[in-house]
Amino acid sequence: MASNGYRNGILKGSVKVEKLSPSSNPKPSSIKSKTTSTQVSSVRRSSPASLGGVGSGVKGDSGVPGRVRVAVRLRPRNAEEQVADADFADCVELQPELKRLKLRKNNWDSDTYEFDEVLTEFASQKRVYEVVAKPVVESVLDGYNGTVMAYGQTGTGKTFTLGRLGEEDTAARGIMVRSMEDILADICPETDSISVSYLQLYMETIQDLLDPTNDNIPIVEDPKTGDVSVPGATLVEIRNQHSFVELLRLGEAHRFAANTKLNTESSRSHAILMVHVKRCVKGSEAALSIENGNGSHMSKNFRPPLVRKGKLVVVDLAGSERIDKSGSEGHTLEEAKSINLSLSALGKCINALAENSPHVPVRDSKLTRLLRDSFGGTARTSLIVTIGPSPRHRGETTSTIMFGQRAMKVENMVKIKEEFDYKSLSRRLDIQLDKLIAEHERQQKAFQDELERITIEAQNHISEVERNYAEALENEQSRYQKDYKESIKKLEEQWMLNQQKLNSDRARVEVKQEPLDMGLAVAELQKSLQNEINLRKAAEEEVNSLKSQLVQWRRSEAVGNAEVLKLRKLLEDEEHQKEKLEEEIAGLRSQLLQLSFEADETRRSLDRGGSGKILTGLDSLMSQVRNSQIKDSGNGQKAPIVNLFEQVGLQKILSLLESEDSDVRIHAVKVVANLAAEEANQEKIVQAGGLTSLLMLLKSSEDEMIRRVAAGAIANLAMNETNQELIMDQGGISLLSMTAADADDPQTLRMVAGAIANLCGNDKLQITLRGEGGIKALLGMVRCGHPDVLAQVARGIANFAKCESRASSQGTKAGRSLLIDDGALPWIVQNANNEASPIRRHIELALCHLAQHEVNAKDMISGGALWELVRISRDCSREDIRTLANRTLTSSPTFQAELRRLRIEC
Ligand code: ADP
Ligand code: MG
């Protein structure tokens, strides 16, 4: 706002007043020019760029540059001058539009000076205020310090400019009155405050113009901030313009009185008006409203209100003329020096500040100390220098102008005086605290009251409950007492009744009996009652024990029953078994009877020579014989066979083999076969020519069954070594081979194969057997595939191989196995792992036997038998065969070589 010079018209009116700006107004300048020269020379500017926005609310610790503004005011000629200087021109010539002043040195020479404002003798008081003081006042209202000071020779209008009250003519009002008017118009009476001190400084003594008794006020400096204050001065709060004017008048009166008393003139003293403006910054009113009891938010309570404290200092300096020149007051030189000490100190300070001297002798005088903030400090300062027109005072006028020029170079750093109002906060908090304490006390009281009330209530309740309880107890007690009494009464009545009854009974029954003592009778009764009770108890105990016994009995009975059932069942089983046996016995008996009958029949018919039904009898006989043989084998009963031979005769039976009747032949061959199954009969059968007959049947019979049974009989007979040779001698192999070739029935083949197999086990018959086609016959029979047949074939081969190996080990056989010659090897290999164990075992043995003869090795290898041997040596479940196979393999160099070749570990 005021950054470009005096704040004129930006805020409050006076827009018509010429606005000063650095560009239009080159500041502190001293244009010295000869009247002969039109050129403007040596214009000096003092850092115009440093003029910052002071009033814009910018704040900072260091502040913003704000140069001291200086205006010059020319007083009109007074009456005396108008007369005395009538023939002379004024010593100055003003060029207000250029803000220049020409100081005439003589008729042809003048110096030109530039000021911030040049006010002619026609300038109104209003304009002077607005140009010089108003910007400062506005700054003060914004929270800055401000100084307005008048400097000039006595009588040039300092007091006129500053202190005119203008009561008779408002237009004449000076800066003090007008400042207060503006301040009062701007502040908020509710939140802001104005207070005023009015002092006089004379001969380095500060006197209170508002309280003349207070005539030596000390200056106090805040060691921290360096702020200067005069706490001893009277501070009067200003509420309105009138009271302020009154105050000024009072001050003026006191000043006059003081000067009279001190035998001096007011022109020798400095008058200092201090206006403190304290304003609450907008936005902190909320906090204040709490202070006023309107707020409800506690949090805001702790934010202190922000206040701005501006101080306006208006200084009406003593006359600047040299004292020795005036010399009218009669002071000594020392006194004169003291009178002007402050003023000359001010000059020195301003010189120092103007020249940016490192040392400013502020402390040299009380005035400079008081004005510390005004020059080179933080205040916005306006200086008005007043001059008179008279050429007679040219010297004073010149020095005044030079003072003003120097002051223009003084740069202040204006700074807002804003601070938190902790006092106010503290006050508010105190109030709040008081309220809270009161509230707390109130609540505590209420709480205690409530507590008391509850306690009393509880006590009442307890006593009531106690009372009720006691009452109930009493009631209960009386009820019980009543009941008790009633029962007693009833008992007594009962007793009385009993007594009466007893008496009457006694009277009735025992007329003669002496009257018994009542007590005795009762005692007896009691005794008998006791007896009864004891008896009953004993009876009860007995019952209980019986009961428990019963339970036990029942339990054991159940167990016994189960046992009985089991035994019964066993018995039944036994009986059943017995019945069955008896049945069997009966059956057997009847069979026996039948048999003996049949035997008789047979004997009779044999005796008669008829063949008839003999065979039927034989058959059944044979079956019976076999049956009984099986059953009675344990007893070694040979009776039936003996009987048979005895009864029938072997020769007769054998003769029947050649019977014409095929049925007879069949029966006969069966009987023979059965007989041949018994080793004991074999020799007899052979001796009786049975073998030959049987071989004949193989040869001649066309009935397969006969051939089969005959073959079976031959097989049985072939178990004997002697018989084997006989069979061979009688061309048995050929006959058996033939039978084998013709037969389809597996049973026939089995018999034949069995017979040949038996023959194969004979060492002596090897060559013949093979020569007569025995081996081929054996191999031929595998075609039927029946496991029983295959088993017999395998047995035969094994037998044969065994004999061969035996022969080779004995050195009687050198050549290759006849089995291999006859092409048995493929079948052997093929069935070596047959799933039927009888086949498998025989073949395994056969392989082992074959392998024992080195000459067979090559064929066995090529025929795949080696693998089977390896398998047998590893997997065979029979240890002996396994061992045999192993030994065979390890002992044969050929097998060893082959296994090595195949990298098989064995
Ligand atoms: P100072 O205070 O400087 O000694 P004053 O203010 O007492 O001087 O003025 C001296 C006289 O001059 C007073 O009578 C005053 O009325 C008069 N005077 C001063 N300035 C003016 C002015 N600008 N116009 C009219 N009269 C003035
Ligand atoms: Mg004066």
Side-chain angles (χ1 to χ4, degrees), residues 301 304-305 421-432:
N301 263 356
D421 190 353
Y422 289 104
K423 273 185 192 165
S424 159
L425 176 70
S426 158
R427 207 164 49 240
R428 197 171 69 241
L429 290 178
D430 277 347
I431 292 165
Q432 194 74 22

Side-chain angles (χ1 to χ4, degrees), residues 673-691:
N674 279 319
L675 290 168
E678 290 296 318
E679 205 183 336
N681 303 331
Q682 287 173 353
E683 201 183 340
K684 287 175 190 166
I685 292 169
V686 172
Q687 277 173 3
L691 179 62

Side-chain angles (χ1 to χ4, degrees), residues 256-452:
F256 179 77
N259 288 339
T260 309
K261 188 176 160 195
L262 290 167
N263 191 25
T264 181
E265 290 174 19
S266 62
S267 61
R268 297 283 156 236
S269 69
H270 313 281
I272 303 159
L273 176 75
M274 289 177 171
V275 183
H276 302 269
V277 180
K278 183 177 156 194
R279 309 194 76 183
C280 186
V281 177
K282 287 230 166 69
S284 62
E285 274 94 343
L288 279 155
S289 68
I290 289 165
E291 188 179 3
N292 298 336
N294 302 331
S296 60
H297 297 291
M298 285 291 285
S299 60
K300 284 189 178 172
N301 263 356
F302 303 107
R303 223 182 90 202
L306 193 63
V307 291
R308 285 177 183 166
K309 288 175 173 176
K311 183 172 77 175
L312 176 66
V313 180
V314 183
V315 187
D316 186 358
L317 288 173
S320 61
E321 64 278 0
R322 292 167 60 93
I323 188 167
D324 55 328
K325 195 180 168 190
S326 83
S328 57
E329 287 94 20
H331 289 288
T332 64
L333 192 59
E334 283 309 302
E335 282 171 330
K337 273 182 188 167
S338 180
I339 287 165
N340 261 346
L341 176 69
S342 277
L343 203 56
S344 57
L346 179 67
K348 283 175 193 165
C349 282
I350 284 173
N351 281 346
L353 287 164
E355 287 157 17
N356 272 326
S357 167
H359 177 67
V360 181
V362 174
R363 307 192 65 81
D364 281 4
S365 75
K366 287 199 171 159
L367 180 67
T368 49
R369 284 172 72 195
L370 281 173
L371 297 179
R372 183 181 197 149
D373 199 39
S374 306
F375 294 92
T378 65
R380 170 166 295 287
T381 297
S382 259
L383 174 68
I384 181 161
V385 290
T386 52
I387 51 172
S390 172
R392 288 176 286 148
H393 299 297
R394 182 179 286 114
E396 295 302 337
T397 302
T398 304
S399 87
T400 298
I401 285 167
M402 295 318 293
F403 180 89
Q405 286 289 299
R406 283 192 295 276
M408 280 179 83
K409 293 178 187 167
V410 176
E411 192 85 52
N412 286 359
M413 294 299 285
V414 293
K415 212 157 103 181
I416 200 159
K417 302 292 175 184
E418 195 174 60
E419 60 187 43
F420 289 111
D421 190 353
Y422 289 104
K423 273 185 192 165
S424 159
L425 176 70
S426 158
R427 207 164 49 240
R428 197 171 69 241
L429 290 178
D430 277 347
I431 292 165
Q432 194 74 22
L433 191 65
D434 284 347
K435 276 183 189 167
L436 285 173
I437 287 167
E439 175 68 9
H440 174 70
E441 278 175 356
R442 196 187 59 73
Q443 282 181 357
Q444 208 165 21
K445 178 81 172 42
F447 175 74
Q448 269 167 0
D449 288 353
E450 182 67 8
L451 199 69
E452 228 162 87

